[in-house]
Structures are given as C-alpha cells and as structure tokens.
Amino acid sequence: MHFDKNKYKVWTWKHPLMLHWVLNPGLVVNELILGQRIPNVSLVEKDTRKPLAERSFVPCPHCHTLHASMKWSPQNKTAFGNWFGLYCDHCGGIIPCLRNLTSALVLLLTFPLWIAFAKGWKARWLNKQKQRFSQPPVLSVPAYNWVKEGLIFGAIMFLIMELVLPLINREGYKTVDLAVGLVIWALSGLLFGFVMKKGVFAGSRSKEPDETRQTA
Ligand SMILES: [Zn+2]
C-alpha cells in the first residue's frame, strides 16, 4: 500500500510513541485487559493545524480504506475491547496491531490456558464488531479540560502511590508524607494535564467533513 509521503508521515514501531507502546510494561493492562490496541502503521497528516488525533489515520491493509483514527476512541465507545485488533468496518477485516512486549510474554507463558478457547473467542468477538461500528463515528476531539483531567490523574496517582502502596508494603501512613504527596501529585497531575493539552490535543478545532471513507 502506497501513501502520499508529501501529505502524511508514516508511523511504524520505530516512532518513539509507538516504541513506547511496545516497551512500557504497564501497558499490558491496556492491551490484555482493556483491549486497547495500536495499529502497526499510522499515517499522520503533516499539516499541524488540527489536533494530532484528528490528523491521524489508520490504513486497512486488506481493502486500503484510510480510516480516521478517531473511529477507535472513547467517545465512540470503541477505544477498548479491540483484543484481536482494529476492526475494519469497510471490509470486515482485522487491521494488524503492535504487540506490547510484556503482553507477548504473558500470552506466551499462559499459552496452554487459552489456546483451546482462542478460536471461539475470536469468532464471537468478530460477530459483535459489525454492530459496534454500525453508528457513524464522531471524528472530532472533544474539548480538553486540562485542569480537570490533570487533577483526576493526580488523584489516581495519589491513591496508588500514597494510600495503596504503603498499605501493601505495611509501612503505615504519616501525616507529613500524605500532605507532601497530596501537593506533589496535584502539581504533577496539573503538569500532566498541561502537557497532554499542548501535545496530544494541540491545534485548533476541526470543521472538516468526514474523512473516514477516504481511500488512499
Ligand atoms: Zn478493510
């Protein structure tokens, strides 16, 4: 499949964000439990006036349809549950995805437990996808409230790092540590939210028509 190299940058596993998906062990949860997947190949429009998510496209290697990557997003309720790959609603094929190394290792080690069921699970999963992708997708990024998102992230981190971990390690709680942790995670959360806004959600709003069925 050939792409317009003047219009798009081609992202494969060699791109830092994609490589991060492969290497970060924590993403095993996203991949194996939540079913969040990243395609092997993404095309990113070079014109940077839109947010990254709105100028990212996923080519289907089977029918060559160029899908807006926003088709697989929380607002379309399709960001998760993609255990077997990204479903192409044009040809019914499965778009191949990257594999996180830790999930590959988990799958390898647990192989005898699931191999007998895998075929049935995949058939049942495939059956459900047509229905899942039957609604016209929303392809614009919702307004990003970086303060709210950042504080939610900070609160989750505070809960894990300051409340759950000491409990597991049987360290007990110290008021000073909790107070310092609260401040640190609130600030880290705000920083996270701000970086997300400037990075992933950067750019102006898109008013362009549906590009989901654009064929390369
Ligand atoms: Zn397809």
Side-chain angles (χ1 to χ4, degrees):
M1 193 171 172
H2 291 284
F3 313 115
D4 183 351
K5 294 261 167 71
N6 293 322
K7 191 175 178 193
Y8 301 106
K9 278 181 278 185
V10 182
W11 285 16
T12 62
W13 64 271
K14 292 173 201 150
H15 187 276
L17 282 180
M18 310 277 264
L19 202 56
H20 170 254
W21 184 268
V22 174
L23 296 178
N24 183 346
L27 293 173
V28 65
V29 176
N30 299 57
E31 210 173 84
L32 291 190
I33 297 178
L34 302 176
Q36 188 181 7
R37 301 300 300 274
I38 303 292
N40 283 348
V41 179
S42 284
L43 302 185
V44 179
E45 250 177 45
K46 288 181 177 172
D47 183 349
T48 55
R49 279 171 297 180
K50 287 186 279 178
L52 178 61
E54 283 180 22
R55 52 194 176 87
S56 302
F57 296 86
V58 179
C60 172
H62 311 294
C63 69
H64 296 185
T65 300
L66 200 54
H67 299 278
S69 70
M70 291 294 292
K71 193 174 270 185
W72 299 274
S73 58
Q75 79 229 52
N76 291 310
K77 298 190 178 74
T78 49
F80 305 112
N82 305 309
W83 291 283
F84 296 93
L86 298 181
Y87 175 77
C88 173
D89 62 346
H90 189 238
C91 70
I94 297 173
I95 300 168
C97 291
L98 295 175
R99 182 54 86 187
N100 173 269
L101 279 182
T102 310
S103 21
L105 192 67
V106 171
L107 287 175
L108 192 71
L109 294 176
T110 57
F111 181 75
L113 297 175
W114 54 261
I115 191 65
F117 309 102
K119 218 173 161 184
W121 286 339
K122 188 172 180 179
R124 239 174 298 152
W125 175 85
L126 206 49
N127 265 335
K128 284 187 192 152
Q129 300 314 304
K130 205 170 179 179
Q131 162 71 27
R132 257 185 106 204
F133 288 87
S134 59
Q135 299 294 322
V138 180
L139 298 177
S140 57
V141 177
Y144 184 74
N145 184 339
W146 68 274
V147 174
K148 182 181 152 204
E149 299 293 330
L151 287 178
I152 289 174
F153 174 79
I156 293 170
M157 289 308 289
F158 176 79
L159 193 75
I160 296 170
M161 303 301 290
E162 309 295 336
L163 298 181
V164 177
L165 273 188
L167 203 65
I168 294 170
N169 295 332
R170 299 194 182 158
E171 286 168 358
Y173 300 124
K174 290 195 203 96
T175 317
V176 180
D177 287 355
L178 288 177
V180 171
L182 197 64
V183 174
I184 288 177
W185 286 116
L187 292 176
S188 308
L190 288 174
L191 183 69
F192 171 81
F194 188 70
V195 169
M196 289 293 284
K197 183 184 167 67
K198 288 290 163 197
V200 180
F201 295 93
S204 56
R205 310 290 331 134
S206 164
K207 291 273 183 281
E208 284 176 35
D210 184 340
E211 288 177 87
T212 181
R213 284 287 158 74
Q214 183 185 354
T215 303

